Amino acid sequence: MGSGKTSLWCHLRFPATSASSAAPRTQTSMAINAAHMDEGRAYLVDVPGHQKFRFDRDTQLKAARAVVFVVDSVQVARDIRATAETLYDVLANASVQENECPVLVLCNKQDDALALPNIRVKEMLEEEIDGLRGSRQAGLDSLQDTADDDAAVEEKAGDYLGIDGKKFVFEDLCHPVQFNESSMVIGHDAGGLEQVEQWISESLHT
Amino acid sequence: MLDHFAIATKGGVVLWAKDYTDVTGNPVNALIQDVLIQSTQTSSTKHNSGSYTLQWAFANELNVIFVAVYQKMLQLPYLDDLLTLVKRHFVARFAAEIRMLTDGDTASFPSFDSFDEEFDLVWQAVEERFEQMSKSRQGVPRKFEDTRKFQTTARGAKLELEELAQANEMDISRKPAKMRSWEDRHGGHASDGKKGRKGKKGKENRVWDGKASKESSQALDFSGGGSESEANVAMLVDEKSKGVRTKDGVYEVADVAERSDSFQLLEGKESKVSTGGIMGMFRALASGRVLTEDTLAQPMAQMRSHLANKNVAADIADKVCQTVARGLLGMRVGGLQNIRTLIEQSMETALTRVLTPSSSTDIIRDIDHVRRQGRPYTMAFVGVNGVGKSTNLSKVCYWLLQNNKRVLIAACDTFRSGAVEQLRVHVRNLRALSENQNVEIFERGYGKDSAGIARDAIAFGASHDFDVVLIDTAGRMQDNEPLMRALAKLVSVNSPDKILFVGEALVGNEAVDQLQKFNRAISDFSGQARPRQIDGIILTKFDTIDDRVGAALSMTYVTGQPIVFVGTGQTYTDLRKMNVDHVIRALLRP
């Protein structure tokens, strides 16, 4: 929540405006934003970050071909547990793994002086996910319609990210995960938005 | 007077905003996160957050929200009118632009700045109208002589007498009332009287002289009435779900039918299309209907009774249906789309949102986090009598043992006979079942103060390097004040990391009452500034209900807390995680 997803969506959706002035103000989203990017290159879906939208997020991931995960580089140190959990859920999602969707982790708000560089964010996330995958494995089986043990075992196995026994690193995952920096403020050096657009075109055309 | 007014899409893009002063914090975000996203809306559209009060309105057909922020101590009664008018003006003016945001192909963000003047005009108009209204209500103050209070004083009474006397004098001047004769009274108005009598026959007395006329005897015949009773019988049995008679003549009940994905659970007549034949159909298809309260009333009533059949508490079903209806008001239904499917979809979304936890339910992770601080993780199990606290506590213990945690069970049920022995048996079994015997019981017998035992148990756990301390409390009815006080004391003294309310899935309307009173007791009797609340729910005896999973919805709705565990049996492995999908499907299955 509050990482800048809706701002990014506005930027990508209205490139003409974003070139000249800052993107429109945004507040906490309570609904999904979905529209075609200009020239119909891509269909962008912005899912709110609130936990209650977990279900919507999982549904949208089923149809996704690429995922942009936006992180607030300023707040990430405080919210590292929640951020890591959400990222874990995205990476462990069955469709994302099956389709090997490329994931771009965008460390946003780099214009702020207190923002952490993306290398540091990457390290922090790796540590947390390392601990997370252990506790996820230890979790109970969920209520099932039918007592289908095989399905449950498969679900658990898919849940485990990285290689067993080795400390978790993003390179271990079978689908490409890239870290980038960005800022929504116009004129800032680490603009990063052109990189995002480039990444989107690359990922969708491979 | 207003601090801030914002118009934004539900997706979070702010279309137009006006700041009158600096707004500290971010009350609009807080409002959205705490109130609007949680589907537990009440009918009020006001919310207090920090030092501000926020009032809001929705324009559902365009997915736009209007929020006004002002200081909490002010009272702005015209804000409702303001919100409605602004909504109307904004929607009328910018409907096309708003749709362009998601549908169109524009590359530039439309500007809404032209709304500034219009907003000021609207506000002025509302303020003026309000002032006029209040003035007209007050008017010029009455003279004291005109009030009723004056009438009761001596002077007032005297005045009255004088007035009466004056009136009497006028009467006296008239001739005294003559005794009018009978003919005068009736003869003069003979024609009128006759007419009147003919018009109203009045009540005729029944004549019981043994000779009844044919009409009256038929009217008095109350036997028979065959046609009516037949209709009643047909209503008792639903022909469609009747079972099958096998060859031997044995009547077998019908199978539970398999349902396809598109559940048509709202039966009933097709929604009425305007009866104009073909043209009427086309007209309806082309224009679509705007959903109003009347069109939604009947489907909503059906939905409500369906939920009630699934064991959802009555007022929870009511509130959920109201929330869904409010979110659908003003939406335009495309002709080909059914009202029913729309309602089902939005119902599914609303229920999913209620049941999805808003915080993580990963206990193992929380335990690791707390252990890093050097103290054991404490969980307290509370609930009414007989829901399965001790049983599920031992199931949770088994699960923790499987994950190599050292567990201490604190026997704080000092009231019920056999409670401590029960836990001893569990501990014995668990030690036999687990390879490393990392579970122990901490008990002090019966009749002692449970808060003290819990405190000693936690201290013992800390000193002996236990990972988790599970506190078993006595079952208590939510109305029993001394016991609720004792529970609040236990919570406030020991401050457990997780307070789990154990509730059985069989409970119906009682669930709401139990949870509300437990929550209120824990917070009221704790004497703390920021008291604890129930942090999670354990739903037990889930194997005894098959489809009627409504208790899950009721409990989650009342507390806003997630269902952490589900108990599905009496052995140690019968503990499950909550699966929102499964519950939603069970709830919406006809």
Side-chain angles (χ1 to χ4, degrees):
Chain A
M1 273 196 303
S3 56
K5 297 178 289 296
T6 310
S7 286
L8 176 65
W9 184 86
C10 283
H11 260 288
L12 292 172
R13 170 90 178 74
F14 304 110
T17 329
S18 56
S20 53
S21 59
R25 262 168 75 172
T26 55
Q27 58 185 39
T28 310
S29 310
M30 49 184 216
I32 294 181
N33 286 319
H36 283 282
M37 228 165 95
D38 65 318
E39 297 147 32
R41 264 188 297 165
Y43 192 71
L44 296 176
V45 178
D46 162 37
V47 180
H50 197 277
Q51 287 283 15
K52 287 272 183 182
F53 286 89
R54 223 180 287 179
F55 202 69
D56 302 84
R57 188 185 63 214
D58 289 337
T59 323
Q60 295 292 332
L61 279 176
K62 282 193 198 140
R65 292 197 37 209
V67 181
V68 178
F69 190 85
V70 188
V71 173
D72 183 346
S73 318
V74 179
Q75 298 288 340
V76 70
R78 245 182 22 188
D79 291 338
I80 185 67
R81 283 180 70 191
T83 316
E85 266 187 51
T86 323
L87 181 58
Y88 191 97
D89 283 333
V90 168
L91 291 175
N93 184 289
S95 332
V96 167
Q97 294 206 329
E98 250 179 64
N99 304 332
E100 300 200 356
C101 294
V103 177
L104 173 67
V105 181
L106 202 59
C107 304
N108 201 10
K109 308 204 184 173
Q110 289 290 327
D111 47 287
D112 198 310
L114 296 169
L116 294 173
N118 63 348
I119 314 160
R120 183 81 189 94
V121 174
K122 186 170 177 207
E123 279 170 23
M124 289 171 78
L125 285 173
E126 277 174 356
E127 266 181 55
E128 278 295 322
I129 295 185
D130 203 28
L132 249 184
R133 58 185 187 167
S135 62
R136 283 298 169 92
Q137 284 299 97
L140 294 161
D141 297 328
S142 65
L143 270 180
Q144 303 281 5
D145 266 328
T146 56
D148 195 349
D149 289 317
D150 293 334
V153 167
E154 248 181 64
E155 199 187 302
K156 277 278 185 67
D159 246 3
Y160 199 80
L161 295 180
I163 301 174
D164 199 356
K166 187 177 152 209
K167 186 167 163 16
F168 175 78
V169 278
F170 281 106
E171 281 77 19
D172 284 344
L173 294 170
C174 43
H175 44 114
V177 179
Q178 192 179 329
F179 273 76
N180 263 4
E181 296 186 352
S182 83
S183 158
M184 296 298 144
V185 175
I186 284 300
H188 196 258
D189 294 331
L193 288 171
E194 304 94 36
Q195 292 176 8
V196 174
E197 290 182 12
Q198 218 181 358
W199 181 87
I200 290 179
S201 346
E202 277 171 30
S203 326
L204 290 177
H205 293 308
T206 45
Chain B
M1 308 224 238
L2 264 189
D3 279 6
H4 179 71
F5 195 95
I7 304 179
T9 62
K10 278 195 188 164
V13 184
V14 173
L15 301 173
W16 184 87
K18 188 141 188 191
D19 282 315
Y20 290 93
T21 62
D22 286 324
V23 176
T24 54
N26 208 330
V28 179
N29 276 351
L31 168 76
I32 296 181
Q33 285 165 24
D34 297 333
V35 178
L36 297 178
I37 289 189
Q38 320 283 345
S39 298
T40 60
Q41 274 169 323
T42 51
S43 50
S44 75
T45 54
K46 257 200 217 169
H47 175 68
N48 290 334
S49 151
S51 57
Y52 296 106
T53 309
L54 299 106
Q55 235 172 313
W56 67 89
F58 284 109
N60 285 319
E61 64 277 11
L62 292 171
N63 284 331
V64 177
I65 169 172
F66 302 79
V67 185
V69 184
Y70 56 96
Q71 293 290 330
K72 190 153 60 168
M73 45 195 152
L74 292 178
Q75 275 193 16
L76 299 176
Y78 56 76
L79 215 49
D80 290 316
D81 293 332
L82 180 68
L83 279 169
T84 334
L85 275 182
V86 169
K87 178 163 92 173
R88 209 184 310 159
H89 280 256
F90 193 84
V91 167
R93 188 133 168 231
F94 291 114
E97 277 96 332
I98 298 174
R99 286 214 184 82
M100 262 198 324
L101 282 178
T102 44
D103 302 335
D105 283 322
T106 48
S108 64
F109 188 72
S111 149
F112 296 89
D113 296 327
S114 46
F115 194 65
D116 281 338
E117 308 107 38
E118 214 173 310
F119 179 75
D120 287 331
L121 286 172
V122 170
W123 197 12
Q124 270 177 15
V126 171
E127 272 191 347
E128 278 171 17
R129 182 157 57 151
F130 182 70
E131 274 178 35
Q132 275 176 13
M133 260 175 42
S134 53
K135 270 205 200 99
S136 66
R137 252 186 284 139
Q138 282 172 14
V140 181
R142 296 176 290 172
K143 283 177 35 193
F144 183 50
E145 281 77 9
D146 296 331
T147 62
R148 263 227 335 235
K149 198 168 177 188
F150 179 67
Q151 307 293 339
T152 54
T153 59
R155 234 179 39 162
K158 249 203 324 197
L159 262 184
E160 228 180 287
L161 277 175
E162 285 174 4
E163 278 176 28
L164 273 176
Q166 278 180 1
N168 278 342
E169 275 171 20
M170 293 204 304
D171 265 2
I172 289 170
S173 60
R174 271 194 292 132
K175 278 212 218 116
K178 235 181 6 176
M179 293 284 284
R180 288 179 291 158
S181 64
W182 193 90
E183 286 91 19
D184 277 346
R185 261 185 282 152
H186 289 266
H189 312 280
S191 51
D192 287 354
K194 274 219 188 93
K195 260 198 237 151
R197 241 181 298 156
K198 262 205 190 124
K200 286 189 284 168
K201 261 206 162 170
K203 209 170 148 198
E204 266 188 11
N205 284 337
R206 222 181 260 293
V207 177
W208 296 108
D209 55 1
K211 289 191 294 237
S213 68
K214 196 172 176 197
E215 303 99 17
S216 53
S217 66
Q218 270 188 359
L220 287 171
D221 185 5
F222 289 117
S223 61
S227 57
E228 255 190 46
S229 53
E230 274 164 26
N232 282 338
V233 165
M235 273 198 287
L236 288 172
V237 176
D238 187 7
E239 286 298 321
K240 275 183 276 172
S241 29
K242 255 192 163 171
V244 187
R245 269 200 197 282
T246 66
K247 280 185 292 208
D248 311 323
V250 177
Y251 174 78
E252 271 186 357
V253 183
D255 275 339
V256 174
E258 284 302 302
R259 304 285 170 180
S260 61
D261 271 355
S262 60
F263 17 76
Q264 286 109 31
L265 73 102
L266 291 178
E267 307 178 348
K269 331 168 243 295
E270 286 291 320
S271 35
K272 298 186 185 59
V273 182
S274 57
T275 54
I278 300 259
M279 278 340 288
M281 254 177 15
F282 271 45
R283 206 184 315 135
L285 278 178
S287 65
R289 282 176 300 283
V290 177
L291 288 175
T292 60
E293 280 192 28
D294 306 320
T295 46
L296 286 174
Q298 206 230 5
M300 275 304 154
Q302 279 185 349
M303 181 59 81
R304 201 174 308 146
S305 61
H306 172 80
L307 285 180
N309 283 339
K310 294 280 182 179
N311 203 22
V312 180
D315 34 328
I316 303 293
D318 208 26
K319 281 190 203 150
V320 173
C321 288
Q322 270 178 28
T323 314
V324 170
R326 217 174 311 123
L328 286 176
L329 273 181
M331 290 269 264
R332 191 167 284 276
V333 183
L336 290 174
Q337 202 184 13
N338 245 328
I339 295 185
R340 297 202 305 266
T341 28
L342 193 60
I343 293 180
E344 281 172 20
Q345 277 172 14
S346 59
M347 197 75 194
E348 195 181 337
T349 327
L351 291 179
T352 317
R353 208 149 289 158
V354 171
L355 285 170
T356 310
S358 47
S359 51
S360 151
T361 54
D362 198 344
I363 305 262
I364 302 280
R365 197 139 175 263
D366 290 339
I367 296 177
D368 292 333
H369 185 71
V370 165
R371 282 300 279 146
R372 274 181 239 149
Q373 300 169 13
R375 58 179 180 86
Y377 186 83
T378 43
M379 285 205 268
F381 292 73
V382 307
V384 303
N385 314 65
V387 292
K389 287 182 295 300
S390 308
T391 314
N392 283 282
L393 183 148
S394 42
K395 286 188 214 167
V396 171
C397 186
Y398 178 75
W399 171 62
L400 291 171
L401 287 175
Q402 297 294 307
N403 287 310
N404 301 320
K405 305 283 178 216
R406 272 170 63 81
V407 186
L408 179 70
I409 299 183
C412 295
D413 184 350
T414 52
F415 176 69
R416 200 192 81 202
S417 316
V420 180
E421 274 77 22
Q422 180 185 15
L423 286 177
R424 267 198 224 128
V425 171
H426 278 306
V427 167
R428 198 191 62 209
N429 293 342
L430 289 168
R431 287 171 81 93
L433 282 170
S434 65
E435 294 128 10
N436 38 4
Q437 303 175 336
N438 275 333
V439 58
E440 279 181 34
I441 185 170
F442 184 92
E443 47 112 348
R444 287 277 176 270
Y446 294 95
K448 306 276 181 11
D449 174 34
S450 25
I453 300 182
R455 188 182 44 211
D456 295 338
I458 297 176
F460 183 86
S463 62
H464 287 73
D465 202 27
F466 277 97
D467 293 315
V468 188
V469 177
L470 301 174
I471 303 175
D472 184 28
T473 63
R476 59 203 76 210
M477 290 307 288
Q478 66 269 21
D479 293 322
N480 191 330
E481 196 193 309
L483 290 182
M484 295 311 289
R485 274 187 196 274
L487 179 64
K489 181 175 159 211
L490 190 148
V491 165
S492 61
V493 163
N494 299 298
S495 171
D497 293 299
K498 228 170 182 68
I499 305 176
L500 291 172
F501 178 85
V502 185
E504 47 185 20
L506 297 156
V507 72
N509 291 326
E510 262 290 286
V512 176
D513 197 49
Q514 283 177 9
L515 277 166
Q516 277 177 349
K517 296 227 173 102
F518 263 80
N519 258 334
R520 206 179 320 150
I522 297 180
S523 60
D524 286 349
F525 297 142
S526 68
Q528 290 173 338
R530 277 163 8 125
R532 297 292 300 277
Q533 295 275 276
I534 291 177
D535 296 319
I537 302 170
I538 301 185
L539 197 61
T540 62
K541 309 185 188 171
F542 205 77
D543 49 324
T544 55
I545 52 165
D546 54 8
D547 239 15
R548 298 162 56 103
V549 296
L553 180 67
S554 319
M555 291 196 205
T556 324
Y557 192 92
V558 170
T559 54
Q561 303 292 344
I563 295 182
V564 180
F565 296 119
V566 180
T568 52
Q570 307 225 25
T571 67
Y572 291 114
T573 51
D574 287 322
L575 192 66
R576 294 274 176 276
K577 218 166 42 183
M578 169 75 166
N579 187 341
V580 176
D581 214 13
H582 174 231
V583 171
I584 299 282
R585 256 181 288 138
L587 265 179
L588 293 176
R589 199 163 26 210

